[in-house]
Amino acid sequence: MLAIAWQYLSGRAVATDPTDRQTAEWPPHPDRVFQALVAAWGERGCSPAERAVLQWVETLGPPHLAAPDESVGAVSRATVTTVYVPVNDTSGPAHGDYHEKHISLLPARRDRKPRAFPALHVGDATCALVWPEASPSPELRAGLATLCAAVTHIGHSSSMVRLWLTEAPPPPAWVPATGRQRAALSLRTPHVGRLDALVTAYADGGEGWTRPPTAPWQGYIRAVADSAAPHSPLDPRLIVLRKTSGDGRPGLIQAPAFVAALRGTLLARASERANPWISGHQPDGSPLEQTHVAWLPLAYVGAEHADGHLLGIGIALPRDLSPDDEQAVLDALADAMNPDTGELRLVAGAAGAMDLAEEDRPAPPFALRADTWTRAADCWGSVTPVALDRLPPRRHENNDAWVAAQITAACTRQGLPAPCEVRILPVSPHVGAPAARAFPPLLRKPDGARRWHVHVALRFPQPVAGPLLLGAGRYQGYGICRPLPTGNQGAGGASGASG
Amino acid sequence: MAEKLTYTEMKATVETGAALRCRRRLQPAGGPGDKVFPPTYEGGKYAEEQRVIDGTRVPCVLLDSVQSQANRIEMAIRDTFYHGKGSACGVPVVTVDFSDAGLPEVREVTSLDAPHRLADAILRDSMLGEVRFRAKPPTPSSEEGKILDTATIENATGLFGLCPTALVFGLWDSTGPRGGLGTKFQRVLVGEVVAIDAMPGARPSSRIDPLGIQLNAGPIYRTPDGDMTLDPALALRKDNKAVLYAKGKKGEDVTYEASGRREVPDEGRPSKANHGNVTPSLKNENGQPHHGGVTMAYALQTVVLSLPALRRLHFPVGGKDSPAADLAARTVLAALGLCGAVLSMEAGCDLRSRCLLVPEPGQAGWEIVAADGTTKAFTLDAKGACALLQEAVAAAVALGLPWRTEPLRLTPSAGLAALVRESRKLAMQSGAEEA
């Protein structure tokens, strides 16, 4: 393994996004680090031994990237202000006397041009580039260590860094997308020939000297933490679609209607390969045994003034989906979107219409971040009520205990540990989500009977990673759970201990 | 208890360390909780950001930017080591001397004052004796001026002796003979002050007129001399009517006849001549609230001096590479940067009106950051820093490195001096017109 780590010495990263010069660039692109290493080589005499080291680094391919995550607030952007910088290209007369127009030579009257210095606050966090498969020889490692110690800055000259080789890098946040995996982010990475391209550009002078050519872009996906924590059978990398416009302000009560509309829209465009995964049925009509695509209505809940209005819908794919099947499902989603606007229109009958677009902002609202619904936690609470598979037997002494047993069975069926505490509640433990009674009932297919649904608050013996969907309606927007901050007592309800 | 930094320790750090860093907390001079005023940018906005500290989101505001801190450190170096015409100086400086041009208020512009430091257009176009300091060929340039044209990281000796602050703060000769490919040295010192946990305040604006001039005491008219009068007979006339004192929105003259019930236009009110009361208000004439400063938990000042950046510079002596001279020169530059930062801190953080900051007691702040990340605290006061610099300079000079003790005095050409006089006149005139 080879890992290059760095820290920003003044806690600030100053690097401009080349596609938008008013925005700071984060996460740091691997090619920036490579360029810093090349600068350290070039400004210290261009030694051939170190050149060989750099050429070897080029052959390693795109690295894993560990960097603090902007979407959870570990990195914050400063407002980009326009700074007026004095110019230096005024001049006196080539010969003869000064003229009035040369007055702009004086400092007080110097012309100023607007410039922006976009920056981010990173603090003391360590970032790293990791190549897990690389195994450098001791000479290469020593040469690279010397180069790292000579790097002064990454990005603008005021974002000074300390760079070093490490055996214990922080866990990667981004890994290169392979094959047909859908990239969430594109980063510029070094490749074979990059060193020569930079050397040629520098020697030419002109455009290549002031701004080096950009490296090709490589797709990256979020790394899934390889922890031993128990997890749901769904992939935590949700595809988040946010609401851009629509009729009124639909809440969670209208969520099942919109989920059905989204499912229908995708089914209409699904290929044969994608159809079972989206519909949940085999071609012959029998239900699919494996976990299939699930839909999460994402609403504003949990905060002091939350009102449960819908902010978007998330799509969760099964964890063990093959790349081809995953591509088929994503193709269906892409087909459903309007190619000009990038938006998907859902029409859900009485609930109205809604336009959805893919969420690609670096710092979206908490409800639209996958992390909010999927991070490992031991306490979970339902946002939409959990629909029960069966009705309780008549004249049952302790309905709540029976329901708790059903919920426990639902958890263990998914491969999760049995919860040590299950509380059945008429209202959701999350502020803003409607009470169970307010939701439209799910109907059982065979006889049209209404399923019971209840809100629950669960405590597992150890943290469990989401997305956590429980109960009969979990593929239709029911039973969506969200981590609870520990210590939340919920509202009333008898607690039922499970076996 | 952190120890004082010695020359030997600093030299060893310059050879292998990663950085010298200071992080210290400041409070307003009026006590914690007093309001301070950050710099405003275009549109009257502050440079805000949100940081996550201990798990909570904390709003922060920039109190002094990287560029502004660099300027302050340069001013501190100038004020300590260079006191004007006729004084020797402890740090090589190039200065353009305007004192003989008959302008008492503009005395000189040094390489520490000029916007682009040594590469600035003012220095470029000034004269060293009979020769232009740096001229375009075929016009001859001075020998010292040519140093800047040929300085590179492999040979920074000339620049070291002429103007070492250029190597500390960075320099880009983008308008010299090689244009955009001109001499470029990156900065070695970066500083910043940020207010942590900043809450915005409000600021009213108002005025009580000591003369008690009333709003309706007007209208005031403009005389042909540009002066103010209440008598329409003495006023400038346009279309047979008297012209009011202030100009209209597009700069046009506004006329008014006293007869008739027409209300006096704004241009005739005494407030246009800066008389009369101003009603207290929290918003300006565009409806925007006045920027009202911030109160903060504390201000964090961070200063970083990068040692790998110094290690990239080479200082051959007599045409020959010399590692000992390299290390000595780099130590001088580190001492110079450190000295400037310490002097600027001890001079007090008076950033702007109503933004005077003082350090919280009991913090040393400075630390050596080693290549492996470990830190070691040290203390340094102004006297110690200057002594360190002297010791480092003596060691460097002993190895044959150049170091001017006399400032290099350039003179503005006659035309430039006349230009400065002209600009003063223009400034006064335009100031009067805006009133």
Side-chain angles (χ1 to χ4, degrees):
Chain A
M1 186 207 34
L2 178 68
I4 298 178
W6 71 93
Q7 275 182 340
Y8 291 92
L9 286 169
S10 49
R12 216 181 224 339
V14 186
T16 308
D17 187 337
T19 59
D20 175 6
R21 305 204 62 81
Q22 295 289 320
T23 316
E25 183 173 77
W26 190 262
H29 290 216
D31 188 55
R32 276 196 195 269
V33 179
F34 186 75
Q35 284 182 242
L37 289 168
V38 171
W41 165 76
E43 290 191 351
R44 284 164 54 254
C46 304
S47 87
E50 288 182 346
R51 190 195 180 112
V53 171
L54 288 170
Q55 282 175 318
W56 173 78
V57 170
E58 280 180 342
T59 62
L60 295 177
H64 297 202
L65 176 65
D69 196 350
E70 191 175 353
S71 70
V72 300
V75 156
S76 56
R77 287 175 185 261
T79 28
V80 179
T81 49
T82 310
V83 181
Y84 286 87
V85 174
V87 300
N88 202 25
D89 52 3
T90 46
S91 59
H95 40 257
D97 265 345
Y98 280 82
H99 192 264
E100 216 177 277
K101 68 178 180 347
H102 296 123
I103 215 163
S104 55
L105 205 59
L106 299 168
R109 295 218 144 224
R110 189 70 62 91
D111 276 340
R112 280 155 202 267
K113 288 262 153 63
R115 282 274 318 264
F117 298 96
L120 299 129
H121 172 72
V122 179
D124 288 333
T126 306
C127 308
L129 298 184
V130 184
W131 289 270
E133 311 299 324
S135 51
S137 66
E139 295 84 33
L140 282 172
R141 201 178 268 277
L144 193 54
T146 318
L147 268 176
C148 287
V151 167
T152 52
H153 60 269
I154 291 179
H156 191 258
S157 67
S158 62
S159 68
M160 293 180 163
V161 296
R162 180 176 70 89
L163 210 76
W164 69 98
L165 286 184
T166 176
E167 296 295 319
W174 298 95
V175 294
T178 51
R180 305 183 68 188
Q181 281 173 322
R182 193 174 137 273
L185 186 67
S186 290
L187 299 176
R188 299 185 302 278
T189 53
H191 56 98
V192 174
R194 180 71 176 148
L195 173 62
D196 290 332
L198 289 171
V199 168
T200 315
Y202 185 80
D204 271 348
E207 195 53 47
W209 193 91
T210 48
R211 192 156 289 146
T214 46
W217 300 72
Q218 159 78 35
Y220 273 73
I221 51 175
R222 280 192 183 274
V224 179
D226 242 0
S227 60
H231 51 76
S232 85
L234 292 164
D235 194 313
R237 290 172 292 201
L238 304 178
I239 301 168
V240 176
L241 300 172
R242 70 180 157 100
K243 176 183 166 190
T244 52
S245 62
D247 299 333
R249 214 165 139 94
L252 279 166
I253 299 184
Q254 286 81 27
F258 282 108
V259 161
L262 180 58
R263 178 173 173 273
T265 311
L266 291 192
L267 264 181
R269 288 165 179 75
S271 62
E272 262 181 43
R273 202 184 180 109
N275 201 308
W277 299 107
I278 299 177
S279 66
H281 293 276
Q282 308 269 23
D284 59 5
S286 58
L288 195 66
E289 291 301 325
Q290 301 122 301
T291 316
H292 50 95
V293 174
W295 323 91
L296 282 86
L298 305 174
Y300 177 34
V301 295
E304 194 185 330
H305 301 291
D307 59 358
H309 73 270
L310 277 182
L311 288 166
I313 301 182
I315 305 176
L317 302 177
R319 264 189 193 237
D320 46 8
L321 204 57
S322 76
D324 287 330
D325 290 337
E326 185 183 332
Q327 191 57 47
V329 171
L330 296 174
D331 284 341
L333 178 62
D335 279 339
M337 295 218 172
N338 181 334
D340 299 319
T341 58
E343 284 183 358
L344 173 66
R345 187 162 182 85
L346 296 181
V347 179
M354 190 194 300
D355 289 308
L356 297 171
E358 198 177 334
E359 176 59 81
D360 52 7
R361 293 175 290 186
F366 279 100
L368 292 175
R369 298 183 193 184
D371 186 70
T372 310
W373 303 88
T374 62
R375 69 170 186 273
D378 51 358
C379 289
W380 290 77
S382 59
V383 173
T384 54
V386 179
L388 302 174
D389 294 311
R390 296 184 279 150
L391 292 170
R394 286 176 194 275
R395 284 198 292 275
H396 198 96
E397 276 166 15
N398 189 350
N399 270 336
D400 278 353
W402 180 88
V403 174
Q406 297 294 302
I407 305 284
T408 308
C411 291
T412 48
R413 261 201 302 272
Q414 283 194 21
L416 296 167
C420 47
E421 194 184 321
V422 180
R423 272 183 295 129
I424 312 301
L425 310 163
V427 295
S428 162
H430 293 283
V431 174
R437 200 159 46 167
F439 275 85
L442 258 184
L443 300 177
R444 270 204 320 199
K445 279 280 174 58
D447 54 1
R450 298 173 175 207
R451 291 193 194 267
W452 264 28
H453 54 236
V454 293
H455 275 297
V456 299
L458 303 169
R459 195 157 58 79
F460 289 95
Q462 57 180 137
V464 162
L468 187 58
L469 312 178
L470 297 172
R474 65 188 182 279
Y475 294 111
Q476 287 148 288
Y478 286 79
I480 312 293
C481 296
R482 178 171 154 151
L484 280 171
T486 46
N488 188 344
Q489 298 304 313
S495 58
S498 69
Chain B
M1 183 62 199
E3 290 160 2
K4 219 164 155 197
L5 185 67
T6 59
Y7 173 67
T8 3
E9 193 175 7
M10 186 164 74
K11 201 160 126 178
T13 310
V14 169
E15 203 168 2
T16 57
L20 296 168
R21 175 168 65 188
C22 177
R23 281 195 282 211
R24 63 176 197 160
R25 293 188 174 202
L26 305 164
Q27 291 289 346
D34 193 15
K35 205 150 68 161
V36 293
F37 279 75
T40 49
Y41 291 88
E42 197 175 22
K45 291 190 300 194
Y46 295 149
E48 290 165 350
E49 67 182 22
Q50 299 254 343
R51 294 189 181 187
V52 175
I53 297 181
D54 294 336
T56 44
R57 275 185 178 266
V58 162
C60 301
V61 174
L62 184 71
L63 285 181
D64 212 25
S65 65
V66 167
Q67 294 88 342
S68 178
Q69 281 277 290
N71 287 343
R72 286 182 211 281
I73 296 175
E74 281 181 300
M75 292 302 100
I77 293 178
R78 188 199 63 190
D79 293 341
T80 307
F81 290 106
Y82 178 67
H83 298 295
K85 189 171 179 183
S87 65
C89 67
V91 171
V93 147
V94 180
T95 169
V96 182
D97 194 348
F98 284 88
S99 51
D100 287 335
L103 291 151
E105 70 271 25
V106 182
R107 283 171 300 160
E108 37 202 346
V109 175
T110 65
S111 52
L112 293 163
D113 295 311
H116 284 252
R117 306 194 175 111
L118 191 63
D120 196 77
I122 283 199
L123 274 71
R124 199 177 61 216
D125 290 343
S126 296
M127 312 290 289
L128 180 62
E130 298 299 312
V131 188
R132 251 270 175 70
F133 181 55
R134 298 176 66 211
K136 274 206 183 81
T139 324
S141 308
S142 63
E143 284 308 308
E144 286 81 353
K146 286 188 195 145
I147 290 176
L148 187 51
D149 294 339
T150 52
T152 59
I153 45 176
E154 283 93 15
N155 185 354
T157 312
L159 203 50
F160 178 80
L162 180 65
C163 183
T165 48
L167 295 170
V168 173
F169 296 102
L171 179 80
W172 185 13
D173 186 25
S174 58
T175 51
R178 287 185 284 159
L181 285 75
T183 310
K184 196 173 187 183
F185 289 94
Q186 67 178 52
R187 55 165 64 81
V188 158
L189 194 57
V190 167
E192 199 173 47
V193 184
V194 178
I196 307 292
D197 203 1
M199 281 292 291
R203 175 174 67 91
S205 79
S206 66
R207 176 177 188 260
I208 298 285
D209 191 351
L211 298 171
I213 291 177
Q214 295 293 313
L215 181 64
N216 295 319
I220 50 174
Y221 301 95
R222 193 186 332 140
T223 63
D225 297 334
D227 213 351
M228 176 184 75
T229 177
L230 278 171
D231 186 356
L234 296 172
L236 199 61
R237 300 207 77 86
K238 179 180 154 184
D239 305 331
N240 231 357
K241 291 188 193 162
V243 170
L244 292 171
Y245 183 70
K247 293 201 169 153
K249 281 207 179 68
K250 292 187 200 130
E252 78 276 16
D253 291 337
V254 180
T255 57
Y256 178 71
E257 276 294 328
S259 64
R261 291 262 192 101
R262 200 163 67 104
E263 206 182 270
V264 178
D266 275 342
E267 287 81 5
R269 295 197 189 283
S271 58
K272 291 297 172 188
N274 289 338
H275 291 296
N277 292 340
V278 172
T279 320
S281 72
L282 291 174
K283 295 198 177 156
N284 64 13
E285 58 209 8
N286 297 330
Q288 296 296 320
H290 297 298
H291 55 90
V294 296
T295 45
M296 59 191 183
Y298 59 90
L300 184 64
Q301 179 175 33
T302 315
V303 179
V304 177
L305 195 136
S306 166
L307 299 171
L310 282 177
R311 291 197 286 268
R312 289 199 189 174
L313 300 170
H314 291 272
F315 303 90
V317 177
K320 283 200 297 229
D321 290 328
S322 161
D326 285 347
L327 181 57
R330 293 166 188 163
T331 313
V332 168
L333 293 176
L336 182 56
L338 202 58
C339 195
V342 170
L343 286 169
S344 153
M345 287 182 194
E346 287 207 6
C349 260
D350 189 4
L351 300 179
R352 61 194 68 83
S353 170
R354 293 184 72 178
C355 193
L356 175 59
L357 302 171
V358 294
E360 281 182 6
Q363 37 170 7
W366 283 99
E367 56 189 2
I368 295 175
V369 181
D372 57 5
T374 51
T375 57
K376 181 173 168 218
F378 68 88
T379 57
L380 196 61
D381 58 1
K383 221 165 96 171
C386 292
L388 258 182
L389 180 61
Q390 264 183 318
E391 201 178 340
V393 169
V397 168
L399 284 169
L401 286 160
W403 187 263
R404 292 185 68 94
T405 45
E406 280 295 316
L408 188 68
R409 289 190 201 286
L410 308 178
T411 44
S413 53
L416 184 54
L419 207 55
V420 176
R421 280 193 289 274
E422 194 59 36
S423 82
R424 288 286 173 271
K425 234 182 11 183
L426 274 177
M428 286 199 290
Q429 271 175 6
S430 65
E433 275 165 7
E434 278 162 15

